[in-house]
Structures are given as C-alpha cells and as structure tokens.
Amino acid sequence: MITQIDIKGFKGFNHLHIPQLTRTTLVGGKNNAGKTSLLEAIFLFFDRINPQMVTNQFARRGVGVLPLVPETVWAPIFFDYQMEKKISIAIKRGNSAETMEVAFNKNYIPSVVQAKKAGQEGHRQIRTDQKPTPTYALDIAYKTNGTKDTSHLLIGVEGLGLHVDKVQIKKGPVSIIAARSPVNPNEDAEKYGKLDIMGKQAEILKFLQVIEPKLKSLSSVSIGNISMIHGDIGLSRKIPVSYMGEGVAKLLSIILAIANSQEGIVLIDEFENGIHYSVMQKVWEGIGLAAKDFNCQVIATTHSYECLTAAYNGFSGNLQNDFSYLRLDKANGETTAKVFDYEMLKTAIDANMEVR
C-alpha cells in the first residue's frame, strides 16, 4: 500500500507532495486542480513497461488519434511542456522507497539495427556496415532498495516501441477505472470468472444488490467472441448487466477490480458518475469492506459534496482508520495537498467548511 507520494515535473505538478495515503483515499478539489493527473501519475509508475503507457492516458481522456511526434505524444506529460526537464515520481510502500525518473532523449541509439524492405517480394535486407539510426526516446529509470532498472520508450519508423535493459515489476496489480472510458465487457467477464471459480460470486452479487435489489444471480455468458456478465432481475431471461444502467455496470467494474487486485491498487476517476446519491453511503461501506478483505488500496476522485459525505458516513465504526480525504489546491502554478483524517473531516463537515 502506498503511504506517501512525491511528484515533480508531471503534467500540472511542478512539485506535489502527499504525506499520507490510507487504504481508501478520496481526492477532491476544484476543476484543473490535478485530481485525474494524480491517478495518472500513480498508474504511470506501475505501467512503465507498457509501450502505450503514455498514449493510454490520452485514450482515457477521450482523445482517439495523435500525430506520432514527441511534441504531441510526450510533451503534454511534462510540466509546462518542458521536455528538457525530468519527471520524478517517488512513492513509499511500507519500508520500501521507490523512484521513477522519466527523461526525454532526442538522440537515443537503439541496440537494434532496423532492416529495410527491398524488391517486389518485400524481402528485408541489411547492410553489413549499417549503423543504428538515432531516434527519440523517453529514458525511464526505476530505483528501489539499491537496485536500478532502466527502459526506453521509443518513437520509431514503425510506431511506438519499448527497449528494456532491466525491469522487474512486483507487489500487486494496479488497475484504473477512467471517467470517460467505457467498460470492457470481456475484461469484466474474465475477472468475474476467476472469482466464480473461487466461490466468491455471492459476495459480488450482494454488493450489486445495493443498487439493484431485484438482482437474483449473475453468470458470465459467451456470445461469439464476446463474453458478458448477465443478471437475473426477474424477467423472462437474463440480461447483460450493462442494460441495468450505468451505475450497476460501474459498480460491478469497481468491485471486480478490487477483488482481482489483492495487495494491489484500484484507481477510480470521478467515482460518483452513474451512482445515485441515495445509495452512495452503502456503496462506500461495501468498498471499504471489500478493500480490507482483499487487502487492496483504493484511490478515487470526486467533484461531489454528496459523495464526500457519503464516504465519510460509509467509513464509520471499524473502518474509520482506513479512510482519508485529500484536497488538492492550485495557486500561482503550484499544487498543494491538504490531508483530512476521519476526525478532521468530521469537524470540517460539521462546521460546513468548503472542503471540495
């Protein structure tokens, strides 16, 4: 579980230090304060051996196509588009201190010489004295406990690529549920299937019944090349969960992500989307219990005061120490973080203070 994070040079963060994160942290703040960027920084840290680690961020924000040049693909993730400066993301997990640095390299020499097609049959050929062609790259260095791993994200003639010198990813899976990206039914069906095998389908069903009380059972159904989770709500046949409304589908994705991220992290952008305020307290209570049961950390963003108060009420009793609220504020180009533990948040809510 991440307990602290320090971010430098990433997107709108010149320098952001967050001194405390709990098992479940809700992040708030005004528009453009950096709530989504915080989730993206955390996910980038763990997604660093994915050739699409940067372009996937654009996809989650609804951008479908980009020119494949550094100024368009990479510059937006650097503070003030300054690619000559490094990005640094440092986290603490237990006794482990880990750091990732990202630097733009406009003259990277790859270890592979690219062969060229020649002739009508398209055979590839290579000159025996041919030198590697310099290319643009993001050099990625990861350090933990005295060891250093390195890799290089490339823009080459055939698209994006990743050259790995030495990389090892460990300590649990990380997933992100974006505000604008649609749910992938195949992925959710696969996750549900794993839990069904372990006999945990009843836990998933009970959680969804908070929003859809008529739901009697769930099953994963394959139709052609697509697998979808179907549910029985008392009709003549089972229907896809996505047909039951955005809230049920989103809640299913959240609980499946938590249940399949044991000792990992689930990041949720704009948590309140599609979930009615009247059931939000019970939803948060269920998420708190699920996160504890599966030893998973949840970090979510919100614009909603109702979501914040629902989370506060949902984490009452034995779950109080598992919850904190993080407010981001931006002034004069700098972003600061104010952390509220459960008792501090109670005082703020009772005094009707503006904490969104």
Side-chain angles (χ1 to χ4, degrees), residues 117-123 125:
K117 289 185 179 180
Q120 294 181 350
E121 296 182 359
H123 295 303
Q125 65 182 25

Side-chain angles (χ1 to χ4, degrees), residues 200-218:
K200 294 185 177 292
Q201 67 275 23
E203 297 178 32
I204 307 300
L205 180 63
K206 182 179 179 180
F207 195 74
L208 291 181
Q209 286 171 337
V210 171
I211 289 184
E212 181 48 86
K214 295 184 294 183
L215 186 60
K216 300 176 182 178
S217 65
L218 293 169

Side-chain angles (χ1 to χ4, degrees), residues 49-285:
I49 60 170
N50 181 358
Q52 295 177 291
M53 66 181 82
V54 175
T55 54
N56 279 344
Q57 294 195 9
F58 294 103
R60 287 191 289 267
R61 287 180 179 253
V63 179
V65 180
L66 287 171
L68 196 59
V69 293
E71 291 77 13
T72 304
V73 177
W74 292 338
I77 72 169
F78 287 83
F79 178 74
D80 199 21
Y81 282 64
Q82 299 178 46
M83 288 194 292
E84 68 276 8
K85 297 184 178 180
K86 291 183 179 180
I87 295 171
S88 173
I89 303 172
I91 69 171
K92 286 188 176 181
R93 291 191 285 181
N95 296 324
S96 175
E98 307 165 50
T99 302
M100 182 180 78
E101 287 189 346
V102 180
F104 176 59
N105 186 344
K106 61 183 179 182
N107 196 33
Y108 174 69
I109 306 298
S111 57
V112 177
V113 177
Q114 191 72 40
K116 298 180 180 180
K117 289 185 179 180
Q120 294 181 350
E121 296 182 359
H123 295 303
R124 290 185 176 271
Q125 65 182 25
I126 189 169
R127 288 176 54 91
T128 56
D129 61 347
Q130 186 173 330
K131 303 294 184 182
T133 302
T135 188
Y136 298 114
L138 291 183
D139 295 337
I140 303 167
Y142 166 73
K143 300 177 183 178
T144 179
N145 299 331
T147 63
K148 180 178 179 180
D149 298 345
T150 56
S151 59
H152 311 274
L153 181 62
L154 313 180
I155 290 180
V157 293
E158 296 186 354
L160 293 172
L162 186 72
H163 287 184
V164 176
D165 298 331
K166 177 187 175 186
V167 170
Q168 182 178 3
I169 303 293
K170 54 185 178 180
K171 292 189 177 180
V174 178
S175 60
I176 186 167
I177 299 173
R180 299 182 184 179
S181 296
V183 171
N184 186 318
N186 279 323
E187 290 182 3
D188 276 358
E190 181 181 354
K191 292 176 182 177
Y192 179 75
K194 293 178 181 178
L195 296 171
D196 194 9
I197 291 173
M198 296 186 293
K200 294 185 177 292
Q201 67 275 23
E203 297 178 32
I204 307 300
L205 180 63
K206 182 179 179 180
F207 195 74
L208 291 181
Q209 286 171 337
V210 171
I211 289 184
E212 181 48 86
K214 295 184 294 183
L215 186 60
K216 300 176 182 178
S217 65
L218 293 169
S219 58
S220 180
V221 180
S222 296
I223 302 176
N225 295 326
I226 299 177
S227 296
M228 300 180 68
I229 301 175
H230 286 58
D232 178 4
I233 56 172
L235 301 178
S236 59
R237 54 166 291 174
K238 290 187 174 181
I239 64 172
V241 169
S242 57
Y243 293 179
M244 300 178 195
E246 181 183 357
V248 179
K250 180 170 181 177
L251 187 55
L252 177 60
S253 293
I254 291 173
I255 193 62
L256 288 176
I258 292 173
N260 282 273
S261 298
Q262 192 162 356
E263 299 185 5
I265 304 169
V266 174
L267 308 168
I268 309 167
D269 198 18
E270 296 185 17
F271 176 90
E272 67 275 9
N273 286 0
I275 301 177
H276 196 264
Y277 75 92
S278 63
V279 298
M280 203 169 287
Q281 178 179 333
K282 292 183 179 180
V283 170
W284 273 118
E285 182 180 357

